[in-house]
């Protein structure tokens, strides 16, 4: 079975409320157009599936067909919108169910008894084929709880159950059909005994534990549908006839029963007669005629294959007409009708200016020879059983599929991680900008300077030459805060930072350390730094700021630290020593009364 990660590659996850017991259930439903039949048999069975994602060729799509309630075991088709939306109209949904059957289903929950609970126990089986067989019979049982039986639904469910058995070796190579059937054998009588009474059953539903059983149930239900479609559109009737004929063909392949042969042959013959009547009816034109011609060709070919198979098994290969009469293998109806078909085909070819086709008699001789050929008969007999199933040796295809699915999962995880890494990098970048930028002045801050900038400077110091840090402390900001409030102090800091930026030359940058402390950093030796610091002090002592209605002085204390050489230690440690040295000379200048410059006595750290 697939893991949840693998399922999410091809499915959507649903949480649906059971309309019977109102339990929340998680389900996986195949995404739209995720899988389609690339090649199919006459009854619709997919010989080859085309998946929208690689790595799922060994997965049976039928395992995503049902939604089973984990509590009461009521089961619905996941593609049925009424079932998926039942929680919106629970009362209306229940009103369409058989009262006694609904009570029995609810009573089985606390007692653990009842056919639904018995089948539900098979859902925990280690064999995945047992699980899906149980799901199908729970779905059939739940369908029988409806007040109005829909034969078409029961027919579809049994037909897909037949496909499940047909594909057992392809999708469930480790399952034994006989052992699977044995796990349900004891439930056969209970299943029939607990079905609600209905007068509209096409056939009394039961457990179908083989492909033959499932096909017989399906055919009986489709035959009821056929009776109701006799007054419907001719095309719908023809398609249903052809499906019934193909089911009969498959049954005859499996059973060699003369009754199955007669039924299948009757339907093929009826399709041919109906197609010929449509083609010859002048009141019907356009696409309906073209589709009838195509179906005539298909049904004729399959009918001949069926008769060839019958002959290879010792039968007479008789043509069975709808009324039950036989043609003795002479195909009299076709000889009478063939000129009409031949004429229609000839007219079509004449209109397209194609070469003239062989006459009808020659065609009949060729097709009879083909049908009666022993090689053809043997091929027809075995082809439906052999084609389309991929060869699985020692789990090769299953292992390859699983590896492909895991690669897809890992790739998805890698993509998610890459997206997450990108998001984190973007977040980190934003946080670095926020963390490394002063919120009042907009200048880069102390963290930016001593954790990022100074270590980078130290790393390249041998190539760039000496650097200097000139610390500037505005002496009167504290007095402004005391006299005018911190909001006025912040405004002064903003205006001060604009004035201090004017001192920064090429390759130099201004930082706010904390409080009223700033630092100008750039490539300067000790002598240049001394001169710059003295010039700053002089100019600032003569300047003032106009903030609102106040004139505020820019008198400052300045400390200079120059780095010419690194003695030892990690770059982060050296950066801390430089910061401590900068504070030391700055506070020394303040202790002297301010408006002065102090130089750190060492350039080696």
């Amino acid at each position: 079975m697939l893991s949840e990660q693998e399922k999410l590659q091809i499915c959507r996850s649903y949480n649906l409320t059971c309309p019977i017991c109102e339990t929340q259930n998680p389900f996986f439903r195949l995404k739209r157009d995720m899988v389609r039949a690339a090649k199919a048999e006459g009854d619709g069975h997919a010989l080859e599936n085309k998946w929208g994602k690689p790595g799922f060729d060994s997965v049976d799509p039928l395992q995503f067909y049902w939604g089973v309630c984990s509590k009461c075991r009521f089961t619905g088709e996941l593609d049925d919108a009424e079932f998926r939306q039942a929680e919106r109209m629970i009362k209306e949904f229940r009103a369409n169910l058989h009262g006694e059957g609904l009570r029995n289903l609810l009573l089985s929950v606390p007692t653990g008894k009842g056919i639904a609970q018995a089948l539900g126990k098979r859902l925990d089986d280690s064999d995945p084929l047992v699980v899906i067989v149980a799901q199908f019979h729970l779905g059939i049982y739940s369908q029988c709880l409806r007040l109005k039986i829909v034969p078409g639904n029961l027919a579809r469910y049994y037909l897909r159950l037949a496909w499940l058995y047909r594909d057992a070796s392809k999708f469930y190579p480790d399952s034994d059909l006989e052992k699977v059937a044995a796990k349900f054998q004891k439930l056969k009588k209970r299943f029939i005994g607990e079905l609600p009474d209905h007068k509209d059953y096409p056939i009394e539903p039961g457990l179908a534990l083989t492909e033959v059983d499932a096909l017989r149930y399906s055919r009986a239900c489709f035959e009821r549908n056929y009776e109701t479609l006799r007054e419907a559109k001719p095309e719908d009737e023809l398609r249903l006839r052809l499906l019934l004929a193909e089911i009969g063909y498959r049954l005859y392949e499996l059973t060699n029963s003369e009754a199955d042969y007669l039924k299948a042959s009757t339907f093929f013959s009826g399709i041919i007669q109906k197609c010929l009547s449509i083609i010859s009816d002048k009141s019907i034109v356009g696409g309906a005629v073209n589709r009838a011609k195509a179906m005539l060709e298909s049904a004729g070919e399959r009918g001949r294959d069926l008769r060839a198979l019958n002959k290879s098994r010792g039968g007479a290969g008789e043509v069975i007409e709808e009324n039950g009469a036989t043609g003795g293998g002479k195909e009299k109806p076709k000889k009478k009708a063939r000129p009409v078909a031949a004429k229609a085909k000839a007219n079509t070819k004449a209109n397209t200016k194609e070469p003239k086709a062989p006459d009808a008699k020659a065609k009949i001789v060729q097709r009879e020879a083909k049908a009666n050929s022993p090689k053809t008969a043997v091929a027809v007999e075995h082809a439906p059983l052999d084609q389309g199933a991929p060869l699985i040796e020692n789990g090769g295809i299953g292992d390859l599929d699983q590896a492909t699915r895991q690669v897809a999962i890992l790739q998805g995880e890698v993509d998610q991680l890459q997206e997450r890494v990108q998001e984190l990098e973007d977040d980190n970048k934003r946080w670095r900008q926020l963390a490394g930028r002063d919120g009042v002045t907009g200048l880069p801050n102390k963290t930016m300077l001593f954790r990022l900038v100074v270590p980078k400077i130290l790393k390249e110091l041998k190539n760039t030459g000496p650097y200097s840090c000139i610390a500037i402390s505005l002496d009167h900001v504290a007095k402004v805060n005391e006299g005018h409030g911190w909001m006025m102090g912040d405004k002064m800091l903003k205006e001060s930072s604009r004035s201090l930026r004017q001192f920064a030359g090429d390759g130099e940058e201004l930082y706010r350390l904390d409080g009223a402390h700033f630092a100008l950093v750039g490539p300067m030796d000790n002598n240049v730094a001394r001169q710059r610091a003295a010039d700053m002090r002089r100019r600032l002592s003569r300047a003032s700021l106009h903030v609102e209605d106040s004139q505020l002085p820019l008198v400052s204390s300045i400390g200079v630290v120059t780095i010419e050489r690194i003695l030892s230690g990690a770059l982060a440690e050296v950066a801390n020593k430089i910061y401590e040295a900068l504070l030391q000379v700055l506070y020394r200048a303040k202790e002297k009364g301010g408006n002065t410059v102090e130089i750190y006595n060492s350039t080696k750290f």
Side-chain angles (χ1 to χ4, degrees), residues 13 56 59 67 82 90 101 155 163 258 266 273 281 297 317 321 397 407 427 441 455-456 468 529 531 564 583:
S13 179
F56 291 88
V59 174
E82 183 185 359
I90 289 179
W163 298 349
E258 190 66 19
T266 299
Q273 292 176 26
D281 189 341
E297 188 72 21
E321 299 184 23
I397 286 182
V407 167
D427 287 344
T441 63
K456 185 177 180 180
S468 292
Q531 293 174 3
E564 294 181 347
L583 290 180

Side-chain angles (χ1 to χ4, degrees), residues 82 91-98 145-148:
E82 183 185 359
K91 290 183 179 179
E92 293 83 353
F93 190 91
R94 291 177 182 171
N96 292 321
L97 299 180
H98 195 284
L145 294 179
R146 294 179 177 271
L147 286 174
K148 185 178 180 180

